[in-house]
Amino acid sequence: MSHAIQNDFALSATVSDEIKDEIQAAPFFAWQVDETTDIACHAQLSVIVRYVDRTGCSRLPRNAPTRWNFTSRIVSTVANNYDALLQTFEMIISDKSMDDDTLDCAKGLLMKLEDFEFVFMLYTYEQIFSETDVVFDIVQQRAMDVLYCKKRIESLLAFVKEKRSEGAFQAVYVKAADLTSDPQTNPMRKRHLSQLQDPKERYRNLYMAILDNLTEQLPRHFANLESLRFLELLNPGKFDEMRQVFPEEAFQSVLKSFGQFFDSGRLRSELQVLYSNQGTGENYVISCCF
């Protein structure tokens, strides 16, 4: 190993140790973690830490735009740590050693957390994301099992329709009102022009509109799922089953979409050989596609 590389390692370790010491000494810190997996199934984890240093210089972490499901994680984190966040921002505001930028940011975030509309939207989407994240992760992991994915999408759609009810709306509305204040109790002169109608009715319409949009968009987004039925032909988890009963519907699916590129008789024979070669299925190559 060259001296340059040794120096790099030594410097890296020194910097890491210094950062660890500063974080341990910091009265406040925040960390952001995001993982992404590339096409080779190699996971990469990014960790970002923001903290108050020894000189009293303070900054609050700001979220950077990433994949859409990272937003759902933020919603879940804020919803599950709502009280702790309130306390943290109140502590920062009461700490006279904080700089003006941090104080202004903390006051703005505290005001947002105490705003009824923000909290109402927070818990509306939190209940939605708690289900959609699970289903979308399953769809990504089991993309070859089209029938199973289709059933999970149908169950998600049923969940959304179930949440489009007066009882579900009331639960979210009451929770937001308990954590902040019921907008129905605000004097008329303090309401914005858009809130002159009955506040509860306004939020009921908003809540129902969000779920109606999901009910409309989900079937549209996955409308072509059935046309991907042919992916099941190469699902190793179903080879035993397909060795017993040839997957005719999935086979017709590939012919319907790409029949002009295949010799159907040879493709059928190759697939049957693939399913019958137990233990070698993962290494088998279909050679007679065209």
Side-chain angles (χ1 to χ4, degrees):
M1 183 180 297
S2 69
H3 292 298
I5 294 177
Q6 292 180 31
N7 291 337
D8 288 342
F9 276 121
L11 180 60
S12 176
T14 301
V15 172
S16 296
D17 290 340
E18 181 66 21
I19 292 175
K20 290 177 183 177
D21 291 341
E22 289 187 357
I23 292 174
Q24 290 177 350
F28 304 104
F29 73 91
W31 58 289
Q32 175 177 307
V33 180
D34 190 21
E35 178 272 333
T36 183
T37 302
D38 60 24
I39 194 171
C41 295
H42 293 152
Q44 297 183 1
L45 186 68
S46 299
V47 180
I48 303 172
V49 181
R50 304 294 294 274
Y51 57 92
V52 181
D53 63 23
R54 295 171 182 171
T55 65
C57 182
S58 311
R59 294 291 183 270
L60 289 176
R62 291 174 172 83
N63 176 49
T66 56
R67 297 174 301 174
W68 75 269
N69 62 334
F70 190 70
T71 301
S72 72
R73 297 178 194 173
I74 295 176
V75 169
S76 177
T77 300
V78 174
N80 293 330
N81 297 278
Y82 180 85
D83 291 336
L85 288 170
L86 283 178
Q87 295 175 9
T88 299
F89 295 136
E90 289 170 351
M91 289 175 61
I92 293 175
I93 292 171
S94 63
D95 190 336
K96 296 181 180 179
S97 68
M98 295 293 172
D99 63 83
D100 291 340
D101 287 345
T102 299
L103 288 173
D104 291 341
C105 188
K107 290 176 182 178
L109 292 171
L110 182 62
M111 184 181 298
K112 183 64 68 174
L113 287 174
E114 292 176 339
D115 178 68
F116 175 87
E117 183 162 322
F118 174 83
V119 177
F120 177 82
M121 297 296 288
L122 175 70
Y123 285 101
T124 295
Y125 280 105
E126 191 270 339
Q127 70 173 354
I128 294 171
F129 288 152
S130 65
E131 185 69 16
T132 57
D133 276 4
V134 174
V135 174
F136 290 163
D137 283 345
I138 290 174
V139 170
Q140 290 179 0
Q141 294 170 12
R142 301 185 59 172
M144 284 189 171
D145 195 341
V146 177
L147 287 181
Y148 181 79
C149 292
K150 185 178 179 181
K151 290 179 181 178
R152 290 311 303 254
I153 296 300
E154 291 172 350
S155 69
L156 173 59
L157 188 58
F159 169 83
V160 172
K161 291 180 178 179
E162 178 184 345
K163 288 299 178 182
R164 194 195 184 286
S165 65
E166 183 64 21
F169 161 74
Q170 289 287 355
V172 175
Y173 186 92
V174 170
K175 186 170 187 176
D178 289 343
L179 292 172
T180 56
S181 62
D182 192 334
Q184 286 188 308
T185 63
N186 293 337
M188 288 292 294
R189 64 178 180 276
K190 291 186 177 181
R191 298 180 187 174
H192 299 296
L193 290 176
S194 61
Q195 299 175 329
L196 291 179
Q197 69 178 110
D198 176 55
K200 195 167 189 177
E201 183 63 23
R202 174 175 173 266
Y203 286 107
R204 179 184 288 107
N205 293 338
L206 178 60
Y207 178 87
M208 298 302 178
I210 291 171
L211 294 173
D212 284 342
N213 185 56
L214 275 173
T215 303
E216 178 182 350
Q217 293 297 328
L218 279 173
R220 182 180 301 174
H221 186 75
F222 294 99
N224 296 325
L225 192 60
E226 185 65 29
S227 65
L228 300 177
R229 184 75 180 274
F230 61 84
L231 292 176
E232 296 179 4
L233 295 171
L234 299 178
N235 183 0
K238 289 193 170 184
F239 281 2
D240 286 341
E241 176 184 338
M242 292 187 290
R243 183 169 55 255
Q244 303 297 326
V245 179
F246 187 77
E248 191 63 40
E249 292 184 2
F251 183 72
Q252 292 302 322
S253 173
V254 74
L255 294 182
K256 181 178 180 180
S257 300
F258 306 102
Q260 68 272 29
F261 301 115
F262 291 98
D263 181 321
S264 61
R266 295 181 63 191
L267 177 60
R268 181 188 294 271
S269 298
E270 290 278 351
L271 287 170
Q272 290 172 335
V273 172
L274 173 66
Y275 304 148
S276 63
N277 280 273
Q278 204 162 21
T280 63
E282 294 184 358
N283 299 320
Y284 189 83
V285 178
I286 297 178
S287 59
C288 68
C289 297
F290 305 100

